[in-house]
Amino acid sequence: MKHIKKFIFFVMLFSILYLTGCKYFATPFLPDVDFVIDRINSEASEIDYEKYIKIEMYKSRLLFDHTTEEGGPDNELCTLIYGFRIYNVSHEPIKINYKKFVPPELSKIIIAGLEDEFYPPHEYLELKPGERIFDEGGVLMKHYNKLTEEEKEIFNKYKDTLYFELRINGKRAYAKVSAE
């Protein structure tokens, strides 16, 4: 009788996991940009993402009037807005998900929002051939006027760059993308 109860328990457990697609056990995204850079340097991508997608990055923008509760000007903080499009350049539908990361050089300037997931790791968006999506997001940073000259140089050098952990049809790829 004891073995039958265990058997029924395991059958029910595996049935639940099968029906949910094991989504709660999906491999999480990498925790920070240093891991992505290591994967890029070691050429650890499972696929060549450029055969499936094109990432078109736009120049970032600074907003100075949305960081206070009242929505007015702020002398201490500002928002850096990133925007980009992802195009399906393949001839087949693809399932895509990604996490974007701000360059590590900006970590002393950025207050919040160093990384952002598009969807949780177990969810994907399907893009048909030629279809594209636009994504825009902001990070909270020290006010540009409060940066030292050295910080301004670093900011201006890296403000138009993002790193990505991409998941395309269940395969991982890593990328560094800059605005042209």
Side-chain angles (χ1 to χ4, degrees):
M1 188 69 172
K2 209 180 211 187
H3 296 295
I4 294 173
K5 286 182 182 179
K6 283 184 182 179
F7 177 75
I8 292 172
F9 173 76
F10 283 112
V11 167
M12 289 177 59
L13 177 66
F14 286 115
S15 297
I16 290 170
L17 291 176
Y18 177 76
L19 292 173
T20 62
C22 298
K23 67 182 183 182
Y24 299 106
F25 298 103
T27 307
F29 283 108
L30 295 174
D32 64 50
V33 69
D34 293 328
F35 287 93
V36 175
I37 293 170
D38 287 342
R39 299 297 194 302
I40 291 170
N41 292 337
S42 64
E43 299 178 359
S45 292
E46 297 171 355
I47 57 169
D48 178 3
Y49 76 91
E50 292 177 316
K51 290 182 178 179
Y52 298 91
I53 62 168
K54 174 185 173 190
I55 303 173
E56 184 179 272
M57 180 101 176
Y58 300 105
K59 296 256 184 217
S60 60
R61 308 182 320 270
L62 282 174
L63 295 179
F64 296 98
D65 60 351
H66 292 284
T67 54
T68 63
E69 287 183 26
E70 301 82 28
D74 188 340
N75 295 326
E76 299 298 320
L77 303 171
C78 63
T79 304
L80 176 64
I81 304 293
Y82 290 101
F84 56 91
R85 286 189 195 277
I86 296 179
Y87 296 85
N88 178 353
V89 295
S90 74
H91 299 291
E92 58 190 48
I94 60 169
K95 291 183 178 180
I96 184 168
N97 194 354
Y98 57 87
K99 184 174 180 180
K100 58 187 182 281
F101 301 85
V102 174
E105 293 82 1
L106 297 178
S107 64
K108 293 184 177 160
I109 297 169
I110 304 296
I111 307 290
L114 289 169
E115 61 221 30
D116 185 35
E117 293 178 11
F118 182 59
Y119 285 137
H122 61 276
E123 292 182 25
Y124 289 86
L125 173 70
E126 186 169 318
L127 286 179
K128 296 178 179 130
E131 193 173 15
R132 65 182 181 249
I133 56 170
F134 176 76
D135 192 0
E136 185 175 70
V139 295
L140 192 62
M141 62 175 271
K142 292 181 193 175
H143 195 286
Y144 185 79
N145 295 338
K146 299 279 184 175
L147 300 178
T148 66
E149 287 306 312
E150 181 183 344
E151 288 174 327
K152 284 181 181 178
E153 267 184 51
I154 292 169
F155 174 77
N156 289 323
K157 184 175 180 180
Y158 295 101
K159 68 182 174 72
D160 294 322
T161 299
L162 286 175
Y163 288 87
F164 289 88
E165 177 183 353
L166 302 159
R167 295 187 182 189
I168 302 169
N169 296 333
K171 303 281 186 185
R172 292 182 189 209
Y174 310 95
K176 175 183 178 182
V177 180
S178 297
E180 296 176 9

